Amino acid sequence: MTLRFSRLTMLLAGSALLCTTLSAQARELSVSTVLSDAFPWGQAAEKWAELVEERSGGELTLRVYPNAQLVSGDQTREFSAMRSGLIDLAVGSTINWSPQVPELNLFSLPFFMRDYAAVDSVTGGEAGKQVFAAIEEGGVVPLAWGENGFRQLSNSKGPIDEPSDLEGLKIRVVGSPLFQDTFEALGANPTQMSWADAKPALTTGAVDGQENPLSVFDVARIDQVGQTNLTLWNYMNDPLVFAANQRVWGSLSAEDQDLLRQAAVDAGEWEIAMTREEEGERRAAITERGVDIVELTEAQHMAFVQATQSVYDTWIDKIGESLVKTARSDMAAN
Ligand code: X2X
């Protein structure tokens, strides 16, 4: 008994020593992203890693796993995987996390935030704080904002400048059922699928169109899979959120928490500015490749706004009326 006890004691002491030694060494945390560093989104994560490495003197290392590989390509499982600890950190899209955090559907309401000033007043305002509180409530620690961008509509059939042009078109959409409702309201035939499946579906013609920011259209060369028409309709912006698993966050010293959060804020600001700055060049490059770009007039814009009003009836309750109101007053105060 005594012998067993002392062996156990030695074993415990040994493993405690091992833990201390390990914690004194550099610690590596995983970061999940959907897009690689060929895109601003992946670059945001790499920037975060670079700043953390630099500022911690190599004590803390972030290793980025792109293409949603930590969730086998199923980007709508990223939030749950981070909550459960399968993923330490992520730079994720509000769309992909909205199945677990319904408040994130705020950003997907069609034609809700008209321009960058509106986006910034929501993310940087009272509504942004409430959204972060909802993420925290959902079991993950939110740290900073980034941006995938305003999502634009492309298709292989022809120019789209009024809702009836979408009639019957098969459109690949992402994550949340809200997208199903928006595209059904417009008379299209939406199909939900992951980003990994999107390009093959466009290539074979299984779908006629898709929606993504200009940076994604440009870098992924969506023009090469028959998407000859692009409508710049700014129907929603897709902010990114830098976040951490709760247990990982709790295991860090206050100093490391500050370092990680500040590096996320700085990487996010850097990426948002870059994404916006590059839009003009991207648009020119896409035009150069022969894609027909349509920009909506005010009257055309209003027709889309009207056609998608029913989405608000269904979704305001799910998102929370008070959050939607708060976001509206954030935008009005701007
Ligand atoms: O799947 C998409 O369209 C993408 C890459 O934009 C997101 O992850 C939201």
Side-chain angles (χ1 to χ4, degrees):
M1 186 70 172
T2 321
L3 186 65
R4 260 209 240 142
F5 178 77
S6 70
R7 268 204 196 136
L8 185 67
T9 315
M10 272 166 62
L11 201 71
L12 285 175
S15 57
L17 189 71
L18 187 70
C19 285
T20 320
T21 319
L22 278 179
S23 70
Q25 285 170 0
R27 180 165 176 199
E28 184 179 286
L29 300 175
S30 60
V31 187
S32 171
T33 64
V34 174
L35 298 180
S36 76
D37 62 2
F39 301 82
W41 182 342
Q43 287 159 20
E46 290 296 348
K47 185 62 151 186
W48 191 16
E50 188 187 306
L51 294 177
V52 167
E53 175 109 30
E54 197 179 285
R55 293 175 188 178
S56 72
E59 289 286 309
L60 206 52
T61 309
L62 308 190
R63 181 164 174 161
V64 183
Y65 293 86
N67 306 317
Q69 61 184 279
L70 298 177
V71 282
S72 312
D74 186 353
Q75 62 214 54
T76 54
R77 282 178 39 225
E78 189 179 59
F79 189 88
S80 309
M82 181 169 35
R83 180 171 49 202
S84 72
L86 200 70
I87 292 172
D88 297 325
L89 309 169
V91 181
S93 154
T94 51
I95 302 173
N96 295 331
W97 296 358
S98 62
Q100 290 82 34
V101 186
E103 289 85 350
L104 291 176
N105 284 292
L106 174 74
F107 300 102
S108 307
L109 282 172
F111 307 101
F112 186 64
M113 300 179 298
R114 184 103 204 235
D115 50 25
Y116 290 132
V119 175
D120 293 344
S121 63
V122 173
T123 54
E126 201 42 47
K129 283 192 201 133
Q130 289 179 17
V131 168
F132 268 23
I135 293 175
E136 189 111 41
E137 187 83 358
V140 158
V141 184
L143 302 173
W145 296 99
E147 182 164 274
N148 192 19
F150 272 106
R151 298 179 75 91
Q152 319 293 3
L153 178 66
S154 76
N155 85 98
S156 59
K157 299 290 182 196
I160 295 176
D161 60 19
E162 56 182 28
S164 64
D165 293 331
L166 269 156
E167 195 64 50
L169 285 192
K170 276 180 266 161
I171 308 289
R172 174 268 168 173
V173 292
V174 246
S176 156
L178 189 156
F179 289 82
Q180 205 79 19
D181 292 352
T182 300
F183 283 87
E184 274 170 12
L186 291 168
N189 182 4
T191 312
Q192 252 174 278
M193 64 181 78
S194 69
W195 172 244
D197 293 334
K199 216 170 163 187
L202 291 164
T203 308
T204 60
V207 293
D208 304 312
Q210 63 88 46
E211 46 75 60
N212 249 301
L214 275 186
S215 65
V216 179
F217 188 96
D218 181 23
V219 177
R221 292 302 307 267
I222 300 296
D223 57 292
Q224 287 179 333
V225 290
Q227 298 288 290
T228 47
N229 296 273
L230 186 60
T231 300
L232 303 182
W233 64 344
N234 282 13
Y235 89 119
M236 63 151 296
N237 189 290
D238 178 15
L240 301 175
V241 177
F242 293 67
N245 164 274
Q246 275 180 350
R247 222 169 316 118
V248 167
W249 184 251
S251 72
L252 295 170
S253 65
E255 197 185 327
D256 280 351
Q257 287 180 349
D258 282 350
L259 190 152
L260 202 63
R261 188 195 299 275
Q262 192 55 49
V265 168
D266 295 343
E269 281 174 3
W270 171 83
E271 185 263 345
I272 291 171
M274 171 188 66
T275 301
R276 294 178 184 180
E277 258 167 50
E278 286 175 353
E279 291 243 298
E281 272 167 55
R282 294 200 187 279
R283 185 178 166 167
I286 293 165
T287 307
E288 187 78 6
R289 294 181 202 137
V291 175
D292 179 19
I293 296 187
V294 168
E295 219 168 333
L296 302 182
T297 64
E298 187 59 23
Q300 288 168 336
H301 167 81
M302 284 317 295
F304 280 102
V305 171
Q306 260 142 34
T308 49
Q309 275 316 292
S310 58
V311 176
Y312 285 72
D313 301 339
T314 321
W315 282 88
I316 283 185
D317 268 357
K318 296 183 186 168
I319 295 166
E321 201 170 346
S322 114
L323 175 59
V324 176
K325 266 200 192 135
T326 304
R328 285 210 166 105
S329 72
D330 284 342
M331 289 190 277
N334 193 265

